[in-house]
Amino acid sequence: MNREPSRLSRSQGLRWLKDMMRIRRMEETCAELYGQEKIRGFLHLYTGEEAVAAGAIPELEDTDAFVGTYREHGHALMRGISMNAIMAEMFGKVEGCSRGRGGSMHLFDAGTRFFGGNAIVSGGLPLAVGLALADRMQDKPGVTACFFGEGAAAEGEFHESLNLAALWQLPVLFVCENNLYAMGTALARSESVTDIHAKAEAYGIDSQPVDGMDVMSVNSAIRAALKTVREKHRPGFLEMRTYRFRAHSMFDPELYRSKEEVEQWKQLCPIATLTAQLQAQQLLEDRDLTTLEASVDAEIHAAVEFAEAGNWESTEDLLRDVYTEDAVTAQEPIP
Amino acid sequence: MKTTYREAMRAALRDALNGDERVFLMGEDVGRYGGCYAVSKGLLEEFGEERVRDTPLSESAFVGAGIGAALGGMRPIVEVMTVNFSLLCLDQIVNTAATLRHMSGGQFSVPIVVRMTTGAGRQLAAQHSHSLECWYAHVPGLRVIAPATLEDMRGMLKLALADPDPVILFEHNALYNQEGELEEDWHVTDIRRAVVRRSGSDVSLISYGGNLHKVLAAAEALAKTGVEAEVVDLRSLRPLDEESILASVRKTHRAVLVDEGWRTGSLAGEIGMRIAERAFYDLDAPLARVCTEEVPIPYPRHLEQAALPQIESIVEKVHEVMGQHA
């Protein structure tokens, strides 16, 4: 899990920095809005894990598919869903990316092949296998990127899906975001083998651990893995070792881990790390930071305004989209 | 032509595989083994391993993969051996297939057909004999259908595949070996409307799937005692064709629901309540039902038969409703 030697271009560095700041500030704004009761329900924030989404997801092609979990705001943003549509979804407004029907845990977007937003741990893995199967059966070039937490490794579906993907040699890139806690249960308290990547190896899938707090490491790992999946038509697996700085959700009193541990991990903050690296290489000036911050602030301000101004769906439309309207018209049946 | 339910479903599968390149069949032992009830026998040789796809014993993964494949533009038919095993993939069906359209604000439909057998009567004991279709019928977002006749067995799959939403298709395992006459001409049969299989004036017998034949036999027996029963075959368990059910009850003024599910929480209970809500004043007798006894299905034949709805128990219940106590 060596950190990549610094081969950083200014433009790429600034891009990552901006993306990670966009995620961080969006999430922190969501926490504030939650306090104001603008956002309700469960809210799972990504703070601390930004390097994974920012380093990985922009490497996907338009034809690739994405399958995520309930901690997916950052994923959605990096996949190209507008912050406006994400924020409106959090508010439950009809302008949201899921028409307000899904909320924080169920962001969806057909345009970017973003298939959720799944709040069942490991529930997205079989889905990803099927999307990859469909691509392969139709000779489409896509890779399906499937993101999930390390808690999924305890579920049967994790093992069933890895086996199926390897057995059928399907183009799925499994990305485990190992933040060490399945809600409040530490990895060592739930797994006999805590190296998640080793479980994938048991299925014959190329797999490696990655420093998930370092955007460059994430990026080089994902590029290599995607290349292999794409060219060799077989699944890949990356274990991103990361940490969430905040609690599991807004209801979590965080009794299961010490403040010292959280503080230690905060020393590895991916935004601070990258900022320091860029500064050390004289690729970042103070005024760059000011510009970045202003631009991120403007985007967030606009998104909150957009969500505030959004509309509540009419209850007359309550039953809409349970079934496809006017379905079953293809054939005239008897009698 | 003379055929069996098994062959009728195989003909439907062959037709579907021939008719649309996006269709493929996937499940445990559907390929080389030929299907655990021999429904897909020969299809692997005919269509190859890509389109008749054996899966590991991983219900959740392969049903979930079917859902993903449906999202990705395919039209998967996924076979789960029995409804009992489908509990291992209940999450994928209920939490994913049924919810995706709604949760995505209408962006994603899941055009999957999940086939599974249901029902008892073959001395397979508790873990292979249960009738849990009402669990699926409970869930908005799913369409649940149950073919009872040869024509429906062959004719329902096409519309199920044409449906952009997930369809669960229940085949009663006691039907497969039954023989009957089926027209050579292909028809597509309705998966929305219930159908009156026998017209009558005195009582409505409402059932579906494997129990339809017991109900029809009971109706014939009743006719000999002067009771003309109307037999309604639901065909669709979700959504229920309430209008057809009510039309029959308003004509006969009595109803007996026959359902192989357990009485508690049964589909029969739901149908009875709907009749009570909308046709109470049309009734000349209390509603009644014949369901499975509240017991995991036992292995010995006499106990298994005692647990299930039978022709005799249906006849007896109808006499009770008619006020004709023995």
Side-chain angles (χ1 to χ4, degrees):
Chain A
M1 228 170 65
N2 292 328
R3 292 212 163 172
E4 281 290 299
S6 343
R7 302 179 265 100
L8 195 51
S9 76
R10 176 177 151 83
S11 62
Q12 181 63 82
L14 289 181
R15 168 76 198 262
W16 283 331
L17 196 55
K18 181 175 179 182
D19 279 345
M20 290 197 289
M21 285 166 65
R22 289 170 72 213
I23 300 173
R24 171 84 47 106
R25 295 294 302 278
M26 178 176 78
E27 295 289 64
E28 297 303 318
T29 305
C30 284
E32 287 166 26
L33 291 163
Y34 199 89
Q36 297 165 25
E37 302 193 351
K38 299 281 187 188
I39 299 175
R40 310 304 307 269
F42 281 136
L43 183 70
H44 308 93
L45 300 176
Y46 197 64
T47 309
E49 304 186 30
E50 297 89 350
V52 181
I57 296 173
E59 295 302 328
L60 297 174
E61 305 286 344
D62 291 347
T63 46
D64 294 339
F66 184 92
V67 174
T69 65
Y70 52 83
R71 199 183 301 283
E72 87 287 26
H73 310 158
H75 302 152
L77 192 64
M78 287 301 99
R79 189 59 183 144
I81 307 180
S82 76
M83 200 186 286
N84 285 1
I86 294 170
M87 196 60 82
E89 187 61 33
M90 308 275 196
F91 276 57
K93 298 286 181 76
V94 76
E95 289 80 5
C97 60
S98 304
R99 227 187 135 72
R101 293 295 183 91
S104 160
M105 297 192 286
H106 304 296
L107 307 178
F108 286 94
D109 183 48
T112 56
R113 303 198 78 204
F114 193 87
F115 294 94
N118 195 321
I120 306 293
V121 171
S122 95
L125 277 80
L127 206 68
V129 170
L131 282 159
L133 176 64
D135 279 345
R136 209 192 69 179
M137 288 184 83
Q138 296 168 103
D139 289 323
K140 290 181 177 170
V143 167
T144 300
C146 180
F147 279 50
F148 50 91
E150 86 292 341
E155 296 276 2
E157 277 179 326
F158 170 92
H159 299 274
E160 293 186 13
S161 300
L162 261 54
N163 177 53
L164 205 54
L167 182 72
W168 290 351
Q169 294 288 284
L170 298 174
V172 187
L173 180 58
F174 295 100
V175 180
C176 176
E177 295 185 300
N178 179 1
N179 65 18
L180 297 175
Y181 291 92
M183 213 165 113
T185 301
L187 184 56
R189 292 171 63 82
S190 64
E191 286 291 316
S192 57
V193 173
T194 53
D195 279 326
I196 307 294
H197 65 100
K199 297 173 195 289
E201 282 160 16
Y203 294 99
I205 298 176
D206 294 340
S207 176
Q208 60 166 320
V210 181
D211 180 354
M213 303 304 280
D214 179 59
V215 70
M216 278 188 282
S217 301
V218 169
N219 185 255
S220 62
I222 202 99
R223 286 162 75 113
L226 278 171
K227 190 167 185 286
T228 309
V229 173
R230 226 181 278 286
E231 287 173 2
K232 299 196 172 162
H233 305 287
R234 65 182 198 211
F237 192 106
L238 295 173
E239 179 192 342
M240 302 288 185
R241 294 188 167 166
T242 183
Y243 199 82
R244 58 173 160 74
F245 296 166
R246 279 183 164 270
H248 165 74
S249 76
M250 302 305 282
F251 292 98
D252 171 9
E254 254 187 305
L255 304 172
Y256 49 84
R257 62 184 187 183
S258 67
K259 286 193 169 61
E260 292 73 27
E261 180 187 301
V262 179
E263 285 310 312
Q264 265 179 348
W265 277 91
K266 280 186 178 173
Q267 301 306 308
L268 301 173
C269 170
I271 296 174
T273 304
L274 181 65
T275 305
Q277 282 169 332
L278 288 166
Q279 282 168 335
Q281 293 177 52
Q282 294 175 329
L283 296 172
L284 183 76
E285 294 173 27
D286 288 346
R287 66 165 184 223
D288 293 327
L289 269 181
T290 315
T291 312
L292 279 183
E293 273 167 11
S295 142
V296 171
D297 277 350
E299 185 182 16
I300 285 166
H301 184 72
V304 175
E305 277 202 338
F306 178 81
E308 288 277 12
N311 296 293
W312 301 112
E313 188 170 16
S314 164
T315 52
E316 283 173 20
D317 282 342
L318 175 66
L319 299 183
R320 172 195 166 121
D321 294 328
V322 178
Y323 296 95
T324 308
E325 278 156 45
D326 300 323
V328 200
T329 51
Q331 308 267 346
E332 200 48 48
I334 59 140
Chain B
M1 63 175 182
K2 205 173 184 84
T3 189
T4 62
Y5 283 79
R6 171 182 292 110
E7 286 159 8
M9 181 47 81
R10 187 185 305 142
L13 290 168
R14 180 180 289 118
D15 181 64
L17 286 159
N18 271 324
D20 186 342
E21 279 187 358
R22 298 172 303 171
V23 172
F24 68 101
L25 176 66
M26 165 164 74
E28 291 153 334
D29 279 320
V30 298
R32 209 159 290 274
Y33 189 91
C36 95
Y37 290 93
V39 171
S40 51
K41 200 157 188 281
L43 296 180
L44 171 68
E45 290 73 16
E46 209 173 328
F47 295 98
E49 294 197 355
E50 277 282 294
R51 299 188 67 205
V52 179
R53 196 172 270 271
D54 279 318
T55 63
L57 306 182
S58 306
E59 285 84 356
S60 210
F62 71 74
V63 170
I67 294 165
L71 286 170
M74 300 297 286
R75 290 291 179 275
I77 303 169
V78 181
E79 179 179 315
V80 179
M81 281 188 190
T82 94
V83 67
N84 302 269
F85 304 165
S86 80
L87 304 198
L88 296 165
C89 54
L90 205 54
D91 166 61
Q92 285 295 332
I93 295 175
V94 175
N95 280 324
T96 303
T99 59
L100 255 168
R101 182 169 179 82
H102 182 80
M103 290 198 311
S104 69
Q107 291 179 84
F108 296 115
S109 296
V110 183
I112 189 176
V113 176
V114 182
R115 293 174 47 231
M116 55 181 95
T117 60
T118 185
R122 290 161 55 101
Q123 288 195 259
L124 302 177
Q127 291 180 342
H128 283 68
S129 301
H130 290 152
S131 295
L132 303 173
E133 46 273 20
C134 79
W135 290 15
Y136 291 94
H138 182 62
V139 181
L142 301 180
R143 182 181 295 278
V144 182
I145 59 177
T149 66
L150 283 164
E151 190 72 54
D152 280 1
M153 204 72 144
R154 190 177 65 177
M156 278 187 174
L157 186 64
K158 205 163 202 161
L159 278 184
L161 279 167
D163 195 319
D165 300 315
V167 177
I168 315 295
L169 196 160
F170 282 101
E171 299 160 26
H172 197 291
N173 71 50
L175 289 180
Y176 288 129
N177 283 330
Q178 287 190 31
E179 288 188 335
E181 285 294 326
L182 185 59
E183 286 179 53
E184 298 273 357
D185 287 348
W186 270 83
H187 296 291
V188 176
T189 58
D190 207 329
I191 58 173
R192 292 167 296 180
R193 299 260 85 91
V195 62
V196 173
R197 298 290 185 193
R198 183 189 192 281
S199 190
S201 52
D202 298 328
V203 59
S204 298
L205 298 183
I206 299 164
S207 191
Y208 65 90
N211 285 274
L212 180 71
H213 305 276
K214 289 179 181 172
V215 172
L216 285 167
E220 290 310 310
L222 285 162
K224 292 186 183 125
T225 66
V227 176
E228 287 300 327
E230 178 149 300
V231 176
V232 178
D233 174 5
L234 294 171
R235 297 206 288 198
S236 172
L237 311 184
R238 182 180 191 104
L240 281 166
D241 177 7
E242 199 169 305
E243 295 311 317
S244 296
I245 294 166
L246 294 174
S248 178
V249 173
R250 286 180 178 135
K251 174 184 163 192
T252 64
H253 308 292
R254 294 175 186 85
V256 174
L257 301 327
V258 182
D259 179 358
E260 204 173 309
W262 290 298
R263 178 190 176 92
T264 303
S266 61
L267 203 59
E270 171 62 28
I271 296 165
M273 190 62 204
R274 291 198 193 201
I275 295 169
E277 282 169 343
R278 291 189 58 197
F280 184 77
Y281 295 107
D282 292 294
L283 291 173
D284 284 346
L287 294 162
R289 56 183 154 160
V290 182
C291 295
T292 288
E293 295 293 332
E294 308 273 323
V295 59
I297 304 295
Y299 162 69
R301 181 163 176 81
H302 69 293
L303 292 181
E304 182 182 43
Q305 293 300 317
L308 300 175
Q310 299 295 353
I311 297 166
E312 300 72 33
S313 52
I314 300 165
V315 168
E316 195 181 324
K317 186 61 75 179
V318 171
H319 281 310
E320 197 181 307
V321 166
M322 300 299 296
Q324 301 167 332
H325 294 287

